[in-house]
Amino acid sequence: MSSFLFNLNLFFVFYSLLNIDSNDIKIKNTNRLLLPLPLFSYGLISFNAFHNKNLLFYDNQLLFTLFNCNKSYDFQYFQRFSLEQLSCRSSVGFGMVERIITTDLSPWNTSIFIAICFVSFIYFLIFQVESNEKFLFILFFVSPPFLFLFTSLNSDIFFFSHLLYLVIKRKTHITKIDYLIITILSQLKIFYLGILFGIALFKFIKKDTKELIISFFFIILNSLLFIYDFLTNTRSSYQNEIFGVPYVYAPMNTFGLVADIRTFYDVQLSIIENSKFILFVSIIFMIIFLMFIKNNFPSFNEITNDKLALFLYILPTCLIINFFGNAGYKFVFNFLLVYLIFELLNSYQKLFVFSVFFVIPIYSILNLVNDHTLFTPSLLNSFVWMYSRIVFYILNLSFFIVLFNIFRQYLNSFKSNLE
């Protein structure tokens, strides 16, 4: 029950700190107590992986095996700690960047180096956060989706680190270096194109013609590069693809609209028929959603708000991620939007929304191992699946409500200028 109790304790700590006054000394003292928690968790995970010969940093080892194979196709590598041999392949399903990068580095040593840099980076950013917000980040950094990201060391850490830096530093001005980073990353994974659309949307609302033209230039450039790669790159065969983009599908550790539709047809979700169960879930969803928005419609007060700009920057990327059937570690991107709209929510909404990070992926709350465990339609499993999907779709509807209110502000401002 260790995983379940750990997440339950995290949620209790979050609940306890939620309504404490920001000037209360308890916040500062609690932050000091919580600060070592991420480092302790990552160290414990790494030790257990070594002791039990479990997989660790497997995605990054796979990626750097490919980079080594780009230089020498007879490269051989045995993955730590499973000692499974990773053979050379022409692709791991990413964009053209995966064909360009060549290395002669140990995938395992490189993984350790990246993991240390990543942990150091998030601790550096924690110290940049206001005291009354620190606990949000600390608790998130030990939540199941983030631990999933850390243990796999998927290349999404580079994408997430870039956006996390923008959010914590409130960096709304996109420099040429930022555009270059976005271009490189989007040619590794296409979902990062979304940030360019988000930037263009905000520049349009702000009537910043020069920046709007620049953002459109990079949208066209990256789109053409993606089309070229799609037409010229012969990828390995993947079971689950949309327009050549592979996605993960496993009901216990994936999320997203595509995954849920497939799950409906492929998996027995409860002891009753799926159609009846989904109808029941839909009714519960509508009731909870109406209660969720009853007394508060999340909305930014000013169109010049830095958080509003960053919300629009990141929103398209998150919507793309939430559409596909993605592995649970990609859910970390949703935290950035949750943080940006957090002050717009009442206490009940904050508690409900933050709970999503403890039930996606659902294997953790059910105390199961991190793999493609088959879903069994027990009462507990069905309830957890239902709750995780209800809060997930309410979260996405909340994003659309905020977006709608932003457009309403823009239209009101536009009408006022005409008058």
Side-chain angles (χ1 to χ4, degrees):
M1 293 293 289
S2 58
S3 179
F4 173 79
L5 292 176
F6 178 70
N7 290 306
L8 187 64
N9 285 327
L10 290 180
F11 192 59
F12 175 75
V13 171
F14 173 77
Y15 171 76
S16 302
L17 294 173
L18 191 57
N19 294 314
I20 295 180
D21 186 89
S22 59
N23 296 317
D24 196 314
I25 193 66
K26 292 180 181 178
I27 284 285
K28 294 182 179 179
N29 290 336
T30 304
N31 284 333
R32 293 191 186 102
L33 290 173
L34 291 176
L35 196 58
L37 184 59
L39 190 60
F40 172 78
S41 300
Y42 308 150
L44 183 61
I45 288 171
S46 300
F47 173 78
N48 286 336
F50 174 77
H51 184 262
N52 299 321
K53 304 303 178 186
N54 294 333
L55 286 174
L56 184 67
F57 307 150
Y58 39 91
D59 280 350
N60 195 72
Q61 291 184 72
L62 177 63
L63 182 63
F64 273 84
T65 297
L66 174 69
F67 292 160
N68 279 277
C69 288
N70 286 342
K71 184 173 184 179
S72 174
Y73 203 75
D74 59 355
F75 177 78
Q76 292 184 342
Y77 179 71
F78 292 89
Q79 190 175 52
R80 302 285 184 90
F81 294 102
S82 69
L83 296 183
E84 175 188 353
Q85 183 173 0
L86 298 179
S87 58
C88 285
R89 58 178 76 179
S90 60
S91 171
V92 291
F94 298 160
M96 66 164 56
V97 169
E98 70 170 12
R99 292 186 290 168
I100 297 172
I101 299 177
T102 61
T103 63
D104 188 15
L105 299 170
S106 163
W108 176 245
N109 292 337
T110 305
S111 297
I112 294 175
F113 175 75
I114 292 175
I116 292 173
C117 291
F118 184 45
V119 174
S120 302
F121 178 71
I122 64 173
Y123 265 96
F124 165 75
L125 291 180
I126 285 176
F127 287 107
Q128 313 297 311
V129 178
E130 297 292 333
S131 293
N132 63 316
E133 296 179 335
K134 271 186 171 63
F135 76 95
L136 288 175
F137 288 87
I138 294 172
L139 294 179
F140 167 70
F141 288 145
V142 291
S143 66
F146 194 87
L147 292 180
F148 197 178
L149 177 63
F150 176 78
T151 55
S152 66
L153 210 66
N154 185 274
S155 56
D156 285 344
I157 63 167
F158 303 115
F159 301 77
F160 181 74
S161 296
H162 180 228
L163 291 182
L164 183 66
Y165 177 80
L166 295 181
V167 166
I168 291 183
K169 302 298 287 187
R170 303 285 179 86
K171 189 175 183 298
T172 58
H173 176 62
I174 305 300
T175 64
K176 293 179 181 178
I177 293 177
D178 288 313
Y179 278 118
L180 179 61
I181 292 172
I182 295 168
T183 297
I184 293 172
L185 292 177
S186 64
Q187 294 310 312
L188 186 61
K189 294 190 178 182
I190 189 176
F191 74 85
Y192 215 57
L193 275 174
I195 192 173
L196 293 175
F197 287 95
I199 293 168
L201 177 59
F202 180 71
K203 299 307 178 183
F204 171 77
I205 289 176
K206 291 292 293 178
K207 302 181 181 67
D208 191 338
T209 306
K210 180 181 177 181
E211 289 296 323
L212 180 61
I213 292 172
I214 294 174
S215 61
F216 264 113
F217 169 78
F218 279 96
I219 287 174
I220 294 170
L221 172 64
N222 280 275
S223 298
L224 291 175
L225 288 173
F226 171 74
I227 292 171
Y228 170 78
D229 177 63
F230 179 74
L231 295 175
T232 61
N233 188 5
T234 303
R235 289 184 168 86
S236 301
S237 176
Y238 286 87
Q239 182 181 0
N240 305 303
E241 290 184 356
I242 295 181
F243 303 119
V245 180
Y247 65 90
V248 178
Y249 171 60
M252 299 301 257
N253 64 14
T254 54
F255 70 98
L257 181 62
V258 170
D260 291 341
I261 292 174
R262 285 203 57 180
T263 299
F264 172 78
Y265 288 105
D266 295 348
V267 181
Q268 180 67 33
L269 295 170
S270 72
I271 58 175
I272 62 176
E273 295 177 7
N274 275 2
S275 57
K276 294 178 181 178
F277 180 64
I278 294 300
L279 178 61
F280 172 74
V281 172
S282 300
I283 293 171
I284 299 297
F285 168 80
M286 290 303 300
I287 294 172
I288 294 178
F289 179 67
L290 291 174
M291 292 173 59
F292 183 84
I293 64 172
K294 181 179 179 182
N295 298 315
N296 185 51
F297 281 78
S299 176
F300 288 103
N301 293 326
E302 296 180 3
I303 208 76
T304 56
N305 193 320
D306 287 345
K307 286 188 175 182
L308 181 151
L310 291 165
F311 176 85
L312 289 179
Y313 288 178
I314 300 171
L315 179 62
T317 294
C318 278
L319 293 181
I320 293 170
I321 289 171
N322 292 346
F323 173 79
F324 282 85
N326 280 301
Y329 53 73
K330 264 192 170 61
F331 198 70
V332 296
F333 290 91
N334 286 278
F335 171 76
L336 301 173
L337 292 185
V338 169
Y339 166 70
L340 291 170
I341 68 171
F342 203 68
E343 64 184 10
L344 310 178
L345 307 175
N346 59 38
S347 296
Y348 162 74
Q349 291 171 329
K350 290 176 181 178
L351 189 65
F352 184 71
V353 162
F354 201 80
S355 70
V356 75
F357 298 107
F358 300 107
V359 292
I360 293 180
I362 68 173
Y363 73 83
S364 181
I365 198 68
L366 295 175
N367 208 50
L368 299 170
V369 293
N370 173 13
D371 62 10
H372 294 254
T373 307
L374 294 176
F375 186 90
T376 54
S378 67
L379 185 62
L380 177 61
N381 287 9
S382 299
F383 173 77
V384 171
W385 188 91
M386 177 182 73
Y387 183 85
S388 68
R389 269 47 192 181
I390 286 175
V391 68
F392 169 69
Y393 286 106
I394 286 179
L395 179 65
N396 280 271
L397 282 177
S398 300
F399 296 156
F400 279 110
I401 289 173
V402 174
L403 181 63
F404 172 78
N405 285 325
I406 290 173
F407 277 120
R408 188 170 62 178
Q409 276 191 62
Y410 167 73
L411 291 175
N412 290 339
S413 174
F414 182 72
K415 290 178 181 178
S416 297
N417 290 335
L418 289 178
E419 294 173 357

